[in-house]
Amino acid sequence: MWAYFAVFALVLMAILWFLQIFFLNTYYQDMKIRETAKVAEAIEKLYGSDDFRAKIDELSITNDIYIYIETFGGGIVFLPSSEDRYYFSYAYLSELKMVRTALLAGEETQASIIIPEARTDTNTLAYATYLGDTPENRLILYIFSPLYPVSSTVSILRTQLAYITVISLLLAFALSYYLSRRVTRPISEITSSARSLAEGKYGITFKGGQYTEIIELADTLTYASSRLEKTSTMQKDLMANVSHDLLTPLTMVKSYAEMIRDISGEDAEKRNAHLNVIIEEADRLNLLVSDMLALSRVQSGSIPLVKSPFSIRDVVESILQSYAIYCDNEGYTVTLLCDNDVTVVADEAKIKQVISNLFNNAVKYCGQDKQVIVSVKKSAGKVRCEITDHGSGIPQSEIGQIWERYYQASTNHVRGAAGTGIGLAIVKEILSLHNAEFGVASEPGQGSTFWFELTA
Ligand code: ADP
């Protein structure tokens, strides 16, 4: 940064040096010619006015010039005032002849020449133009302006520029040092925090300094670190949950199998009861493993969505059908509110899994009244599916988390034995793949309504 700033300052200084020292003279002469032309214009306008003489005297004093007007034949019309007259005729007569010749020979209405003066080093700008608008009363106006040597100015400038160069280099150094500290310090801090993050220290807060972009970067990294922390905690929980969930049924299977071998093998009644426990535990293992597999399959995206139009009523009915005997036996009342032909465009198998998971939860967590209501409504190109129960509901603070893997709400832990905490994560993945809107409205103690919307 320091190098860039120094180069920048040096280039600027070089341009300044170059322009001031090499072009100052040319610039000064051009400026003088322009100014003289302007004065000539002013005189042309004044020509004929009452106080013409006084005005011209004034102009010559203010602009440090000598003005001379003559007829074509050489008759003097206007001479500089008495004090300057002597000097004028001594200094400028030869110049006058030269510029007159240049004006008369040229096509232009004015002529300007710079006449070098070796002795005094002060060159002269001689300017001539016509005055008066009719050819009969035409006069020639001469203006002579001394061009003072710029060499002394150049040497002053040179000294000043040397100071400016040193000052600007020092400033460039100070500024670049300050800026680089402001920019690079937070970046180095972010780098070292990122290093600690890579070493597994999650939950680090990144500090961004004062620049918006770096602050944004730091905030994003802080967010990433908090997400990593969460993921890591979830992963640990997952390992604990999964090993616990797998271990319990496996222990049961093993101990009941041993029991059959050692004790109840001959007693048909006891043996069957024990075998039933083994079968139930194996079912639970099956459920757990198949849920985990289903989730990882949707998450990996290895199975693409196969969208096609299908009747959502048929899908819901087939799910209810498979639960019918269970619901009858356990005394659940399932109400279906659905129009006859509601078609959606989606992946049928996956939507079936979504409805099945939501329905399964509603049955699992429904209240004393054992009622589950499934409603399918069609409106403005969308089909909204709602599954309602009157169970214990979900606390507001946990609603955001229930969609995460292995999350089981605190209110349902007692009955949570039947769940794996994966069902809603699968629902979320599938609905997100469909770009569908979904959510839950829940009042603790009143029940919950899980809903999603698909394209009709
Ligand atoms: P689980 O296998 O534990 O049911 P889910 O992912 O399906 O896992 O659900 C996550 C958690 O959300 C559940 O443990 C439960 O606490 C809560 N939950 C889901 N559906 C309902 C519901 N209908 N009523 C109350 N709580 C629910």
Side-chain angles (χ1 to χ4, degrees), residues 41 72 74 111 126 143 168 174-175 179 259 290 342 377 391 396 423:
E41 246 173 60
F72 271 71
I143 300 177
S168 56
L175 198 66
L179 283 180
M259 209 132 64
S290 61
V342 184
K377 276 183 247 158
Q396 203 60 32

Side-chain angles (χ1 to χ4, degrees), residues 384-453:
R384 187 182 171 98
C385 186
E386 292 182 347
I387 292 138
T388 307
D389 65 71
H390 301 133
S392 55
I394 305 152
Q396 203 60 32
S397 56
E398 295 180 38
I399 277 191
Q401 282 139 286
I402 55 167
W403 305 94
E404 282 168 17
R405 254 175 310 168
Y406 302 106
Y407 190 84
Q408 298 190 314
S410 52
T411 41
N412 298 309
H413 268 171
V414 192
R415 304 180 60 190
T420 58
I422 300 177
L424 288 182
I426 298 176
V427 168
K428 179 184 164 186
E429 287 296 331
I430 294 176
L431 291 177
S432 303
L433 277 179
H434 280 87
N435 287 327
E437 296 216 16
F438 61 92
V440 55
S442 183
E443 268 291 303
Q446 304 286 311
S448 323
T449 298
F450 281 82
W451 62 268
F452 64 88
E453 283 181 348

Side-chain angles (χ1 to χ4, degrees), residues 74-85:
I76 299 171
V77 176
F78 177 86
L79 258 178
S81 56
S82 51
E83 314 91 74
D84 291 337
R85 197 166 295 165

Side-chain angles (χ1 to χ4, degrees), residues 13-323:
M13 284 301 109
I15 294 172
L16 258 180
W17 274 78
F18 196 67
L19 288 183
Q20 297 286 37
I21 287 159
F22 294 106
F23 290 108
L24 194 64
N25 205 22
T26 328
Y27 180 75
Y28 173 62
Q29 285 180 2
D30 285 352
M31 193 195 73
K32 271 290 188 187
I33 293 174
R34 260 181 277 128
E35 271 180 9
T36 313
K38 259 193 212 151
V39 172
E41 246 173 60
I43 294 174
E44 240 178 329
K45 275 190 201 132
L46 286 170
Y47 180 56
S49 65
D50 294 342
D51 49 357
F52 183 58
R53 172 161 284 279
K55 283 270 170 55
I56 292 188
D57 275 338
E58 203 181 303
L59 273 175
S60 63
I61 292 166
T62 48
N63 292 290
D64 188 21
I65 50 178
Y66 295 92
I67 298 167
Y68 182 81
I69 303 172
E70 66 170 15
T71 60
F72 271 71
I76 299 171
V77 176
F78 177 86
L79 258 178
S81 56
S82 51
E83 314 91 74
D84 291 337
R85 197 166 295 165
Y86 173 72
Y87 174 75
F88 174 77
S89 41
Y90 160 73
Y92 293 126
L93 274 186
S94 61
E95 278 87 344
L96 194 145
K97 278 185 199 128
M98 285 164 80
V99 76
R100 182 202 286 143
T101 318
L103 176 73
L104 297 179
E107 308 256 288
E108 305 274 323
T109 55
Q110 95 273 353
S112 60
I113 42 177
I114 289 163
I115 301 145
E117 175 63 72
R119 202 162 33 86
T120 57
D121 208 20
T122 305
N123 298 342
T124 303
L125 164 67
Y127 181 93
T129 184
Y130 299 113
L131 203 61
D133 27 61
T134 55
E136 304 87 62
N137 60 10
R138 243 192 192 174
L139 303 172
I140 305 176
L141 161 71
Y142 301 94
I143 300 177
F144 299 94
S145 174
L147 296 175
Y148 298 109
V150 289
S151 52
S152 58
T153 321
V154 167
S155 80
I156 295 172
L157 277 177
R158 202 171 282 158
T159 331
Q160 281 192 349
L161 278 176
Y163 284 126
I164 294 176
T165 308
V166 172
I167 292 172
S168 56
L169 281 180
L170 283 177
L171 270 179
F173 180 72
L175 198 66
S176 60
Y177 180 71
Y178 170 70
L179 283 180
S180 67
R181 272 181 72 85
R182 268 174 63 128
V183 175
T184 51
R185 210 213 246 152
I187 293 182
S188 342
E189 279 178 10
I190 288 177
T191 311
S192 79
S193 304
R195 223 169 265 140
S196 333
L197 182 65
E199 281 159 13
K201 286 185 199 133
Y202 299 120
I204 287 178
T205 312
F206 287 81
K207 291 194 199 79
Q210 282 143 31
Y211 288 100
T212 322
E213 288 79 5
I214 305 181
I215 293 173
E216 260 172 33
L217 171 67
D219 288 349
T220 314
L221 285 171
T222 308
Y223 175 67
S225 116
S226 75
R227 294 293 301 178
L228 276 176
E229 187 179 25
K230 212 166 177 189
T231 314
S232 142
T233 326
M234 271 173 63
Q235 223 164 18
K236 282 181 202 142
D237 289 354
L238 160 73
M239 285 308 288
N241 282 353
V242 169
S243 36
H244 176 264
D245 282 358
L246 292 179
L247 209 61
T248 320
L250 278 177
T251 319
M252 300 274 273
V253 168
K254 185 170 179 257
S255 39
Y256 276 88
E258 280 171 353
M259 209 132 64
I260 295 169
R261 183 192 65 194
D262 299 339
I263 305 165
S264 57
E266 305 303 324
D267 182 338
E269 201 181 320
K270 272 192 182 166
R271 189 186 58 217
N272 280 348
H274 292 165
L275 280 174
N276 276 341
V277 176
I278 293 181
I279 291 167
E280 264 172 35
E281 292 305 319
D283 278 348
R284 188 163 155 60
L285 272 177
N286 200 356
L287 174 77
L288 189 68
V289 174
S290 61
D291 265 5
M292 282 159 65
L293 273 180
L295 178 63
S296 70
R297 228 178 271 141
V298 224
Q299 275 184 332
S300 69
S302 56
I303 307 170
L305 285 186
V306 188
K307 283 192 182 179
S308 61
F310 64 90
S311 158
I312 196 154
R313 186 184 176 112
D314 292 352
V315 170
V316 175
E317 274 177 349
S318 82
I319 295 169
L320 299 191
Q321 193 60 46
S322 62
Y323 275 86

